[in-house]
Amino acid sequence: MNRFADTDGDGTFNTLSSNDGESERRFTLVDTAGCSCAQIVDALGMSQEHAQSGCSLSTLESWVSRVKEN
């Protein structure tokens, strides 16, 4: 399972490897409207347990989709 986090403070949520051989995915603070993983899971009504190891791909895709709609 891919988990995404901004671990180096560069404003990009990324993951080091992909379990299914796909190329690395990245989400910038522009993509997430400046929100952290904790803010995203809170806004989506999820428990903070979802943010403990970084956001999942599906969580980030859902959030980015909502951001683009607005």
Side-chain angles (χ1 to χ4, degrees), residues 54-69:
C55 283
S56 68
L57 175 60
S58 62
T59 298
L60 282 170
E61 287 178 334
S62 175
W63 182 253
V64 170
S65 173
R66 287 180 182 210
V67 167
K68 287 182 179 180
E69 289 176 1

Side-chain angles (χ1 to χ4, degrees), residues 6 11-13 27-43 55 60 63-64 67:
D6 179 9
T12 302
F13 291 80
F27 298 91
T28 67
L29 288 176
V30 172
D31 297 328
T32 65
C35 294
S36 68
C37 186
Q39 291 168 319
I40 291 168
V41 298
D42 186 51
C55 283
L60 282 170
W63 182 253
V64 170
V67 167

Side-chain angles (χ1 to χ4, degrees), residues 8-49:
D8 57 8
D10 68 353
T12 302
F13 291 80
N14 51 16
T15 185
L16 295 177
S17 64
S18 174
N19 293 340
D20 55 11
E22 290 184 24
S23 55
E24 181 179 339
R25 301 276 311 265
R26 296 172 190 248
F27 298 91
T28 67
L29 288 176
V30 172
D31 297 328
T32 65
C35 294
S36 68
C37 186
Q39 291 168 319
I40 291 168
V41 298
D42 186 51
L44 292 174
M46 303 166 79
S47 73
Q48 285 300 313
E49 292 175 0

